[in-house]
Amino acid sequence: EKLNSSLFGQTIAQSETLEVVNSFLSEPGSSQLVQVLVLVGWTGTGKTHLSNLVASSAPVPSNVHRIAGSTIALYQHGLIQELPVMIQRSCGHSVVLFDDISDNSAVVSKLQNFILALQSETEGKGNGTLVIVSTSSGGHIINRFLLERLQSGALDEDGGSIGGGNINTALKSLNGDIIRNHLESQNFELPLVSFLQGYSVPHKVIPFLPMTREAVRACIHAELRENGATLNTREVAKIMDQIPFFSQQFPIFSKIGCKKVSAKVMLALRMKDNAHPEL
């Protein structure tokens, strides 16, 4: 329910994440020690938000651990070394979030060592750890792929032309496998993926799509509902005019995410209040 009301334009990521998470968390006696999700997409597409929603549903809040990717590169992150032992001693499933991971080799190496440590903690068997890694690496490939697909007038599953005029139909014809196959065809190596494959660590790459104009409007209206406020059609259109879209020839995808869109909504509301203080 939270995903439906606060994550917009990410039907693939939503359905695939729910499937993996529900399967992993529903069996407390599972022998699977680690399940890794690699969330891939452009900045602002909702990867961190989805990670936080998954973490909020964890049965034991104290078993949720968050580590920002930027802190791993700056210094020797002690928590990464301590976490396997902490997880081994905990009751129930654990969730570890690594937010905004770069393809820096030192960072990736630390994550690899962490996952290997979890895999070797046989005494913790049966608890299980869900590791969610988000990265913007590869996001530009996904964006370019979608633009080219739309501009070339790709065909939907029924063989009908979708061209540039029916964006929703084009996106509905996509699935996670199509995008993952494209990433592989570009010989682009996502952080951790080859390592996870080599060590047979259960994992899934979850693609995030750039936000369409429809998704941006949904963000605007969600922020208005959250604040118990309203804006008329003209005022919403004015906010939409402030959103940068790409590409220049085919401006259909937003360069920013809901967080920055929400900030523009709040600014519009403050300006409206200042213009009508008696209201």
Side-chain angles (χ1 to χ4, degrees):
E1 184 177 344
K2 288 182 179 180
L3 286 177
N4 289 328
S5 62
S6 62
L7 186 67
F8 307 107
Q10 301 298 344
T11 54
I12 294 174
Q14 179 177 325
S15 61
E16 292 192 342
T17 299
L18 283 175
E19 180 181 4
V20 173
V21 172
N22 288 337
S23 174
F24 185 72
L25 297 181
S26 64
E27 301 181 13
S30 172
S31 61
Q32 184 175 324
L33 290 176
V34 184
Q35 170 69 54
V36 181
L37 290 178
V38 182
L39 312 185
V40 180
W42 197 248
T43 301
T45 50
K47 301 183 299 296
T48 299
H49 184 57
L50 178 58
S51 298
N52 288 332
L53 288 176
V54 172
S56 68
S57 66
V60 184
S62 61
N63 285 358
V64 176
H65 310 277
R66 293 177 171 84
I67 299 176
S70 58
T71 65
I72 301 174
L74 292 175
Y75 58 89
Q76 187 71 16
H77 205 301
L79 182 58
I80 295 181
Q81 283 73 44
E82 298 168 4
L83 262 182
V85 175
M86 295 169 58
I87 289 171
Q88 181 184 358
R89 296 172 179 172
S90 64
C91 296
H93 291 96
S94 294
V95 179
V96 183
L97 310 180
F98 291 102
D99 187 44
D100 196 17
I101 297 301
S102 69
D103 56 2
N104 180 286
S105 59
V107 171
V108 173
S109 177
K110 290 178 183 179
L111 295 185
Q112 291 174 350
N113 291 335
F114 169 73
I115 292 171
L116 286 176
L118 289 180
Q119 288 280 75
S120 66
E121 298 294 345
T122 55
E123 292 184 19
K125 194 171 184 178
N127 289 337
T129 302
L130 177 65
V131 179
I132 304 179
V133 178
S134 67
T135 180
S136 58
S137 296
H140 63 291
I141 296 178
I142 295 175
N143 292 356
R144 186 169 62 245
F145 172 61
L146 293 185
L147 275 175
E148 291 174 352
R149 185 177 173 87
L150 288 168
Q151 290 174 313
S152 65
L155 300 179
D156 63 19
E157 292 177 348
D158 298 322
S161 177
I162 56 180
N166 195 335
I167 298 169
N168 291 330
T169 302
L171 296 180
K172 287 179 181 178
S173 72
L174 287 172
N175 58 50
D177 287 335
I178 291 175
I179 300 173
R180 283 185 288 269
N181 289 339
H182 179 73
L183 286 169
E184 290 182 10
S185 73
Q186 300 302 298
N187 296 318
F188 183 84
E189 187 170 333
L190 291 166
L192 282 180
V193 172
S194 61
F195 159 80
L196 296 171
Q197 293 171 340
Y199 282 86
S200 300
V201 178
H203 67 282
K204 188 158 192 173
V205 173
I206 307 290
F208 279 68
L209 310 184
M211 290 176 55
T212 63
R213 290 179 180 271
E214 181 181 352
V216 172
R217 287 192 186 92
C219 287
I220 292 173
H221 290 295
E223 186 65 24
L224 291 174
R225 287 193 300 272
E226 181 73 18
N227 287 275
T230 59
L231 291 174
N232 61 38
T233 303
R234 182 179 58 80
E235 291 166 332
V236 170
K238 188 175 180 180
I239 295 175
M240 290 293 295
D241 289 341
Q242 300 172 30
I243 307 298
F245 289 88
F246 68 93
S247 64
Q248 185 174 358
Q249 296 78 19
F250 205 40
I252 56 173
F253 293 122
S254 174
K255 292 183 179 180
I256 64 176
C258 266
K259 188 180 295 184
K260 291 187 177 180
V261 171
S262 296
K264 292 183 180 295
V265 173
M266 295 305 298
L267 178 60
L269 292 176
R270 284 196 295 271
M271 292 176 66
K272 184 176 182 178
D273 289 341
N274 291 337
H276 305 281
E278 70 280 1
L279 299 178

